[in-house]
Amino acid sequence: MTSPRTAGTAPRSALTRARVLESAVDLADREGLGALTMRSLARELGIEAMSLYHHVANKEDLLDGVVDVVAVEIQDAVARLEPLADDAPRSAWRTATRRQILTARAVLLRHRWASTVLETRKTFSLPVIRYYDSLIGLMRHGGFSYDLVHHAMHALGSRALGFSQELFEPDGATAGSAGGGATEGADDAATAMLMQMAEQVPHMVEMLAAVSHEDGAGSTLGWCDDQSEFEFGLDIILDGLDRLAEREQH
Amino acid sequence: MTSPRTAGTAPRSALTRARVLESAVDLADREGLGALTMRSLARELGIEAMSLYHHVANKEDLLDGVVDVVAVEIQDAVARLEPLADDAPRSAWRTATRRQILTARAVLLRHRWASTVLETRKTFSLPVIRYYDSLIGLMRHGGFSYDLVHHAMHALGSRALGFSQELFEPDGATAGSAGGGATEGADDAATAMLMQMAEQVPHMVEMLAAVSHEDGAGSTLGWCDDQSEFEFGLDIILDGLDRLAEREQH
DNA sequence: ACCTGAACACCGTTCAAGT
DNA sequence: ACCTGAACACCGTTCAAGT
């Protein structure tokens, strides 16, 4: 004689903070960060918007929590890596660090909105700090002084977490799809603009010609933040740091 | 018998796109990016919000324009630098590049909101492209192949424009100041948190202790994106690039 | 205790109307 | 042509009320 909902033992869907955050991550994965509003998240969960405030303090807190979910995912992936043996040579810090960062990157590539949210957090998050802590540990293995570690973190910046700050990445779809068609045909306006101002920015035009020549088909105009470019920048920094660590050893 | 307003020759304040953008930059400088809304900007100019739409297509266009204003300011500052002589040695590219980037940084430090807006632009802007073009020119002087230039731009990322992606920068005031005082005393909660979890993140705690020990008074907990840290990261990358360019020369 | 509906103070933007 | 006021479709959030 219980209601159909409570027929089983579990109340079927006791709303918890964890469930709210999980659902928020899903929503952002599917429809982008712009689609993650208190109202749309509530609709997703089949409840009223105001009910969310029982599990998160406000939207800022929701975003904090959602970053934590991703950070935990990163930490889980990193924990699955083979740990650096205590008797490994000093130089092993470099490959281990490289691997950890690329592991974090792989997770962030599954949640493309996450880096944006990560940037705007102004408070420390335990899962993120633990990620950094393991990075610091690897550098200590590499013989880094704490001072050099500190500089290294600044030098890496967001690269420490697996993403780089790309100006002008070509992504496309962002906001709502409705709206009028007033400014249509602006797609390759950039290309046309570049051509017409060849004499204003000669080096840029030649570089783009040379680069797109070289790697043929897949190359779009503009900056292409693919894996190899990320690794190129990462390796330059790791090499530089390794040299400095070596110098610290006398 | 003209109205008092049109007594002189000039109509006193014909609203133009330039004036709108200028005022938007001022507003963002004074009160932050969050305070830059169509409505507040209109109030600033003493007009109605809807009148703005005669000079900018929409808010996105306003932000595009506001970035252009800053980019032009950067280009002006860069143009005032002593140009690289044609017969300067190959290695001169490095100091010239360094100087240009630090010049751009100085401008961005006067408009701290600008980097955030810059990141979110998805369309090329002529003033920004011209800035990049001059950077490319310097690298070409350094003997870079266009391919290496392309990699270099990726490696520099936002550093090319003078800012670095700092996770967790300590800034403070962001949103509105009113509101209730529910969660007071959360200021140094981060410090307390770090202390209590010393065994969870041992390297982090030790690093912070070592670093704050060293530079005494001015150091706040966390990451301190000051000028020297920026230059540290920049120099590592420039050194790495120079080595690669040297190698390309055989 | 958890959830709700109505309401408030904001957004960006459309539209028909003024001069 | 330029500017306006009212209105629309959204936000995040407060508050008093339901169970």
Side-chain angles (χ1 to χ4, degrees):
Chain A
M1 313 313 175
T2 55
S3 90
R5 290 239 146 139
T6 52
T9 46
R12 185 171 178 284
S13 73
L15 199 55
T16 66
R17 180 179 169 95
R19 256 176 53 83
V20 167
L21 297 181
E22 206 179 303
S23 188
V25 169
D26 282 356
L27 183 55
D29 283 347
R30 285 200 324 274
E31 305 184 21
L33 195 56
L36 178 57
T37 69
M38 298 300 272
R39 284 171 153 94
S40 66
L41 177 57
R43 197 180 314 122
E44 189 84 359
L45 287 161
I47 60 171
E48 221 64 21
M50 307 319 137
S51 306
L52 290 171
Y53 286 85
H54 274 268
H55 302 98
V56 295
N58 47 40
K59 176 134 193 207
E60 206 62 8
D61 185 38
L62 173 69
L63 293 177
D64 284 347
V66 122
V67 158
D68 277 7
V69 170
V70 175
V72 166
E73 197 176 327
I74 288 176
Q75 263 305 80
D76 287 350
V78 167
R80 260 177 264 120
L81 297 174
E82 207 178 333
L84 190 55
D86 279 350
D87 61 348
R90 191 197 72 76
S91 64
W93 82 273
R94 194 192 175 293
T95 50
T97 299
R98 191 175 199 277
R99 193 185 43 184
Q100 169 163 343
I101 290 177
L102 293 181
T103 298
R105 176 176 175 82
V107 174
L108 285 179
L109 287 179
R110 293 203 298 269
H111 307 288
R112 296 188 176 275
W113 47 270
S115 56
T116 306
V117 183
L118 220 25
E119 287 170 29
T120 60
R121 297 307 87 197
K122 57 172 70 63
T123 139
F124 292 96
S125 148
L126 180 54
V128 175
I129 294 182
R130 294 183 72 175
Y131 173 85
Y132 277 111
D133 193 70
S134 60
L135 266 190
I136 298 174
L138 294 178
M139 290 180 180
R140 290 293 288 170
H141 183 103
F144 287 46
S145 70
Y146 278 119
D147 189 38
L148 182 55
V149 169
H150 178 230
H151 290 318
M153 289 301 172
H154 277 290
L156 283 169
S158 61
R159 270 198 177 77
L161 269 160
F163 66 101
S164 59
Q165 178 77 346
E166 291 294 328
L167 283 319
F168 319 121
E169 31 193 329
D171 49 11
T174 301
S177 50
T183 57
E184 57 189 14
D187 296 327
D188 36 25
T191 314
M193 197 172 89
L194 268 184
M195 289 305 95
Q196 119 187 40
M197 67 191 184
E199 71 278 15
Q200 283 198 77
V201 290
H203 302 110
M204 174 67 74
V205 169
E206 269 199 81
M207 182 190 78
L208 291 178
V211 169
S212 66
H213 225 242
E214 159 197 316
D215 52 12
S219 112
T220 53
L221 178 110
W223 316 108
C224 30
D225 179 27
D226 56 14
Q227 188 70 11
S228 65
E229 295 299 344
F230 179 85
E231 295 183 18
F232 178 87
L234 178 58
D235 286 335
I236 282 189
I237 297 176
L238 294 182
D239 284 346
L241 293 174
D242 194 47
R243 229 181 304 268
L244 290 174
E246 208 164 46
R247 198 171 302 167
E248 275 187 335
Q249 307 294 102
H250 307 274
Chain B
M1 312 315 175
T2 55
S3 91
R5 290 238 146 142
T6 53
T9 46
R12 187 174 174 279
S13 74
L15 199 55
T16 66
R17 180 180 169 97
R19 257 175 54 83
V20 167
L21 297 180
E22 206 179 303
S23 188
V25 168
D26 281 357
L27 183 55
D29 283 348
R30 287 199 324 274
E31 306 184 20
L33 195 57
L36 178 57
T37 69
M38 298 299 273
R39 283 170 154 94
S40 66
L41 177 57
R43 197 180 313 123
E44 189 83 359
L45 287 161
I47 60 168
E48 221 64 21
M50 307 318 138
S51 306
L52 289 172
Y53 287 85
H54 273 270
H55 302 98
V56 295
N58 46 40
K59 177 135 193 206
E60 205 62 9
D61 184 39
L62 173 69
L63 293 177
D64 284 346
V66 122
V67 158
D68 277 7
V69 169
V70 175
V72 166
E73 197 175 328
I74 288 176
Q75 264 304 82
D76 287 350
V78 167
R80 259 178 264 118
L81 299 173
E82 206 178 335
L84 190 54
D86 280 349
D87 61 346
R90 191 197 72 76
S91 63
W93 82 272
R94 193 192 175 293
T95 50
T97 299
R98 190 176 198 276
R99 194 185 43 183
Q100 169 162 344
I101 290 178
L102 293 180
T103 299
R105 176 176 175 81
V107 174
L108 285 179
L109 288 178
R110 293 203 299 269
H111 308 289
R112 293 187 178 276
W113 47 270
S115 57
T116 306
V117 184
L118 219 25
E119 287 170 29
T120 60
R121 297 307 86 196
K122 56 173 68 66
T123 138
F124 291 97
S125 146
L126 181 53
V128 175
I129 294 181
R130 294 184 72 175
Y131 173 84
Y132 277 111
D133 193 69
S134 61
L135 266 189
I136 297 174
L138 294 177
M139 290 180 180
R140 290 292 288 170
H141 183 104
F144 287 48
S145 69
Y146 278 119
D147 189 39
L148 183 54
V149 170
H150 178 231
H151 289 319
M153 289 300 171
H154 277 291
L156 284 168
S158 61
R159 270 197 177 78
L161 269 159
F163 66 100
S164 59
Q165 178 77 344
E166 290 294 328
L167 282 320
F168 319 121
E169 31 194 329
D171 50 11
T174 301
S177 51
T183 56
E184 56 189 15
D187 295 327
D188 36 26
T191 314
M193 197 172 92
L194 268 184
M195 289 304 95
Q196 121 189 37
M197 67 191 184
E199 71 277 16
Q200 282 197 76
V201 289
H203 301 111
M204 175 68 73
V205 169
E206 269 199 82
M207 182 190 78
L208 291 177
V211 170
S212 66
H213 225 242
E214 159 197 318
D215 52 11
S219 114
T220 55
L221 178 110
W223 316 108
C224 30
D225 177 28
D226 56 14
Q227 188 71 12
S228 65
E229 295 299 346
F230 180 85
E231 295 183 19
F232 179 86
L234 179 59
D235 285 335
I236 282 189
I237 297 176
L238 294 182
D239 285 345
L241 292 175
D242 194 47
R243 229 181 304 270
L244 291 174
E246 209 164 45
R247 199 169 302 166
E248 276 188 335
Q249 307 294 101
H250 306 274

